[in-house]
Amino acid sequence: MPAVQSRPISSKTESYVDNKRKDDIRMANINSARSVADAVRTSLGPKGMDKMISTASGEVIITNDGATILNKMEVLQPAAKMLVELSKSQDIVAGDGTTTVVVIAGALLKQCQTLLHAGIHPTVISDSLHKVSLKAVDVLTAMAVPVELSDRESLVKSASTSLNSKVVSQYSTLLAPLAVDAVLSVVDPEKPDLVDLRDVKIVKKLGGTVDDTELVKGLVFDKKVSHSAGGPTRVENAKIAVIQFQISPPKTDIEQSIVVSDYTQMDRILKEERNYILSMIKKIKATGCNVLLIQKSILRDAVTDLSLHYLAKAKILVIKDVERDDIEFITKTLNCLPIANIEHFRAEKLGYADMVEEVSIGDGKIVKITGVKDVGRTTTVLVRGSNQLVLDEAERSLHDALCVVRCLVNKKFLIAGGGAPEIELSRQLGAWAKVLQGMESYCVKSFAEALEVIPYTLAENAGLNPIAIVTELRNRHAQGEINAGINVRKGQITNILEENVVQPLLVSTSAITLATECVRMILKIDDIVTVR
């Protein structure tokens, strides 16, 4: 009987659903996402720290790139995974600002927590967030300075700003112009807004320092020329063929063994092989070709010792084992066609170059093809480094710099860096909040405060007093200095545009829109259902 009485009889409480669990799940999601954001927060800005990631396979990665750090982190909580995806999508859209976007999302989530505790409905918060992001993009666009692609200096400035927060920042004077030249050389004048970064090939070679990094007009292969039979290692006025067939005796299609009973038959087989290879090489030589790039073959050896010997006699330089994925890049650069069958080997399918030579670098050798005739819109960057970690990080940093230049090609506007746009946003959104009514105004005000996390973190990572710096920044912006930002090197607030700290508009706008989108998504979740 007592079991029945424990149920409250009052009709009021029957319609009440216990929302404790939904609140708990929302808080758990927000907390886990914030802890991910705090993990990368220290690596923001030019004085940010680097993370050392040790993977399960024992590989060690040292990086400052937010997307790389989060990618390698084993994040299990579903809401925290959304932040990893967030930095990935920023990496795809803009290429740079991958740490910024996560830090902004973390700060917005923190404000959402406060608003939720105050009893504001998540949907209201989410809607005001959407309005804030639209308004923010307008404010940023109003601040931006248009830039022309012919203005190389501005492009170099923005690329070096992107490199300043990386390990290789001391080489930014070399890498920034290199990135700009690389992107400008692959931009197609007919379709200026389509830059395919796959047309910039990055070849990494151990040895030397990052100073030795260079831009090669043409091709670089991270391979040796096959030396087996004393073939040439340097060819001038090269005629280059990219072949996808094998220069080796044919094999049967099915596994079978041929039993040879006496020597005469064996000789006949060898003789046939020799004639077969010779006839192939004669056809190749007849077109005047003197450099062969041979695609890796799975079915049988692409070249045998015998064929290499004959190729060397014919004074043809051979580079074998060219990866299947590189073929497209090579043919695009050399302006030639890949040849899939010996019968199709004709002179018009060849590419022409002034020089193909083998260069020894560090402990290995590479093959350089330079002076290509009618070179396609591609370019190769040869990155050097003293150890594998520096090499990998240099490649990632270079990728970021290339992306920054690509952003500027797509959307030709620059904006100040150093926390200036964030403070300006915070100020203008705060002023806008005073015009709004009701809950919205309250939400917008707190999101405006959240954007101050970027300058705050920049100051904190540089070892300055964050509160004093941010207050002073706010003061400067209130007096109308739109471009006042934190100068980390001098440890004070200066006009950041004059200090050449600039970034593309696309990086900032996409960071804000993506972060708000992600936060709205996390807010809307009120339950996690695990399906076994």
Side-chain angles (χ1 to χ4, degrees):
M1 206 54 207
V4 180
Q5 280 174 346
S6 67
R7 244 183 72 199
I9 313 294
S10 154
S11 63
K12 263 185 189 167
T13 49
E14 273 178 358
S15 62
Y16 174 75
V17 186
D18 179 27
N19 262 337
K20 180 86 182 81
R21 161 157 188 186
K22 297 192 171 170
D23 274 355
D24 279 353
I25 286 206
R26 198 172 274 125
M27 283 306 151
N29 277 346
I30 290 180
N31 282 332
S32 59
R34 273 183 59 197
S35 62
V36 168
D38 286 341
V40 292
R41 218 185 97 184
T42 49
S43 66
L44 180 80
K47 291 271 196 271
M49 298 299 166
D50 296 342
K51 305 272 180 268
M52 189 182 229
I53 304 161
S54 166
T55 55
S57 58
E59 181 192 7
V60 175
I61 298 169
I62 297 179
T63 179
N64 193 308
D65 181 46
T68 314
I69 298 171
L70 290 177
N71 221 342
K72 299 286 178 199
M73 263 166 49
E74 293 283 321
V75 178
L76 296 177
Q77 217 274 354
K81 274 188 186 155
M82 287 167 68
L83 280 194
V84 179
E85 294 297 319
L86 169 71
S87 76
K88 260 191 211 163
S89 55
Q90 172 76 359
D91 201 26
I92 293 165
V93 176
D96 198 22
T98 43
T99 320
T100 315
V101 75
V102 179
V103 174
I104 291 180
L108 290 174
L109 284 171
K110 186 177 176 195
Q111 292 292 357
C112 290
Q113 237 171 346
T114 328
L115 293 172
L116 285 170
H117 280 310
I120 301 175
H121 195 278
T123 316
V124 178
I125 302 178
S126 165
D127 289 347
S128 6
L129 242 185
H130 184 57
K131 286 187 177 166
V132 164
S133 79
L134 293 178
K135 176 81 175 171
V137 173
D138 292 345
V139 173
L140 284 173
T141 319
M143 279 178 70
V145 187
V147 62
E148 280 305 311
L149 285 186
S150 51
D151 179 11
R152 186 160 174 267
E153 207 170 296
S154 303
L155 298 179
V156 173
K157 280 179 198 168
S158 57
S160 64
T161 304
S162 153
L163 289 167
N164 273 341
S165 61
K166 310 280 186 260
V167 183
V168 290
S169 58
Q170 66 266 37
Y171 302 112
S172 62
T173 45
L174 168 82
L175 292 180
L178 197 135
V180 173
D181 292 342
V183 172
L184 290 184
S185 65
V186 300
V187 174
D188 193 352
E190 271 98 64
K191 303 192 285 283
D193 44 353
L194 287 172
V195 179
D196 191 357
L197 285 185
R198 281 176 303 202
D199 290 345
V200 179
K201 189 172 172 215
I202 298 182
V203 178
K204 297 183 291 190
K205 196 77 178 128
L206 207 60
T209 57
V210 182
D211 276 332
D212 303 331
T213 300
E214 56 179 336
L215 191 69
V216 181
K217 273 285 189 214
L219 277 174
V220 172
F221 290 101
D222 190 6
K223 306 185 172 43
K224 295 204 292 248
V225 175
S226 54
H227 285 287
S228 63
T233 56
R234 171 180 173 177
V235 175
E236 290 181 17
N237 297 334
K239 293 180 185 172
I240 306 166
V242 179
I243 62 170
Q244 295 180 308
F245 56 87
Q246 299 91 9
I247 309 184
S248 58
K251 247 182 172 176
T252 47
D253 290 343
I254 40 179
E255 274 299 314
Q256 45 172 251
S257 49
I258 303 169
V259 181
V260 183
S261 51
D262 60 358
Y263 281 120
T264 48
Q265 282 175 322
M266 212 157 128
D267 282 349
R268 257 176 65 201
I269 292 175
L270 288 173
K271 201 172 170 188
E272 277 301 309
E273 279 186 9
R274 254 199 309 254
N275 287 346
Y276 177 80
I277 290 174
L278 266 176
S279 70
M280 271 181 144
I281 290 173
K282 275 178 185 150
K283 278 181 190 164
I284 293 174
K285 194 66 188 159
T287 56
C289 157
N290 51 15
V291 175
L292 268 189
L293 306 179
I294 303 178
Q295 182 184 315
K296 229 180 195 157
S297 156
I298 345 165
L299 300 173
R300 55 180 210 235
D301 298 334
V303 278
T304 58
D305 290 344
L306 191 61
S307 55
L308 282 175
H309 168 76
Y310 283 130
L311 284 166
K313 271 200 165 162
K315 293 275 182 290
I316 296 178
L317 184 141
V318 181
I319 301 170
K320 54 182 188 184
D321 293 346
V322 175
E323 292 294 336
R324 175 77 193 274
D325 310 339
D326 295 345
I327 293 283
E328 188 188 344
F329 182 81
I330 292 167
T331 49
K332 195 170 176 183
T333 309
L334 295 176
N335 225 338
C336 62
L337 294 167
I339 304 165
N341 192 330
I342 185 69
E343 302 307 327
H344 303 158
F345 206 104
R346 286 193 291 278
E348 57 264 30
K349 293 197 177 180
L350 303 182
Y352 297 92
D354 294 344
M355 177 67 116
V356 177
E357 61 174 337
E358 185 181 59
V359 190
S360 26
I361 277 194
D363 52 354
K365 291 185 173 171
I366 58 167
V367 180
K368 262 190 196 173
I369 300 181
T370 46
V372 181
K373 196 172 130 199
D374 317 321
V375 65
R377 296 201 164 276
T378 60
T379 183
T380 308
V381 181
L382 180 61
V383 180
R384 312 292 308 284
S386 49
N387 60 32
Q388 203 57 45
L389 303 175
V390 172
L391 254 185
D392 293 343
E393 182 58 11
E395 184 191 18
R396 277 190 291 270
S397 314
L398 197 57
H399 177 75
D400 274 11
L402 289 171
C403 286
V404 165
V405 185
R406 184 187 65 182
C407 286
L408 283 176
V409 173
N410 288 355
K411 203 170 181 186
K412 302 180 178 60
F413 284 101
L414 278 176
I415 196 169
E422 284 83 7
I423 280 283
E424 185 60 23
L425 272 180
S426 171
R427 192 182 68 79
Q428 294 208 24
L429 290 175
W432 184 54
K434 294 191 174 111
V435 188
L436 296 173
Q437 274 133 15
M439 282 302 179
E440 266 192 352
S441 131
Y442 194 68
C443 296
V444 171
K445 188 163 163 285
S446 63
F447 292 139
E449 281 170 22
L451 286 172
E452 287 177 3
V453 71
I454 297 285
Y456 186 92
T457 310
L458 275 177
E460 195 177 46
N461 287 348
L464 310 170
N465 178 353
I467 296 173
I469 289 275
V470 174
T471 314
E472 171 64 15
L473 246 186
R474 242 192 251 137
N475 178 21
R476 286 285 195 80
H477 277 260
Q479 288 165 13
E481 295 182 30
I482 294 188
N483 293 325
I486 303 171
N487 185 342
V488 182
R489 299 229 168 86
K490 294 182 182 164
Q492 61 211 42
I493 289 166
T494 50
N495 180 344
I496 214 85
L497 268 188
E498 290 165 10
E499 298 283 343
N500 301 340
V501 180
V502 284
Q503 58 192 28
L505 174 64
L506 193 61
V507 171
S508 296
T509 51
S510 79
I512 296 224
T513 44
L514 289 172
T516 49
E517 209 170 87
C518 179
V519 172
R520 286 179 64 199
M521 205 137 181
I522 292 178
L523 270 181
K524 289 265 174 95
I525 298 170
D526 69 346
D527 207 343
I528 296 178
V529 182
T530 46
V531 183
R532 285 276 170 269

